[in-house]
Amino acid sequence: WIHSHPSVKPCDVSDDPSFVWGYAHVPKPDFKIDLKPAPRFNLTTYFPPDRRVCGKFGLVKEDRLVEYRELYGEEVPDSWWGFDLFNDVDVQALLRVEEKED
């Protein structure tokens, strides 16, 4: 759970969007390291290939904020990485469209 704490500031070392889920596209050991604050890509890049694996867990800002309050009794700081990530796409609308397609 340590990575779920609201004070965590994640980083990313690869600019390859194909390696964001699972181990299918792990970079070669000699890949060019490009250290940047994470998340580097927009939210839809991080959607699991099969949403039945995790459902909407981790995709909705309000769910994350509730998790922080429940687990740690804390609110997120103004510098929280999620403000930019979760504001670039209407996840609830995307999830509703997917439910209709199933």
Side-chain angles (χ1 to χ4, degrees), residues 3-81:
H3 295 292
S4 72
H5 193 275
S7 66
V8 165
K9 294 184 179 181
C11 65
D12 186 3
V13 296
S14 175
D15 62 0
D16 182 358
S18 69
F19 179 58
V20 295
W21 188 262
Y23 297 100
H25 302 282
V26 174
K28 302 275 187 231
D30 61 347
F31 78 99
K32 180 181 172 242
I33 293 176
D34 183 22
L35 184 64
K36 299 269 173 133
R40 173 187 302 249
F41 309 109
N42 68 37
L43 182 61
T44 56
T45 306
Y46 300 100
F47 280 17
D50 181 352
R51 232 112 41 249
R52 292 173 295 185
V53 172
C54 297
K56 69 177 184 73
F57 183 77
L59 301 178
V60 179
K61 177 174 65 176
E62 289 72 25
D63 293 346
R64 292 279 184 143
L65 297 175
V66 167
E67 178 180 88
Y68 294 148
R69 283 192 289 276
E70 295 297 318
L71 288 176
Y72 305 106
E74 294 184 24
E75 299 295 324
V76 297
D78 291 339
S79 61
W80 181 56
W81 56 268

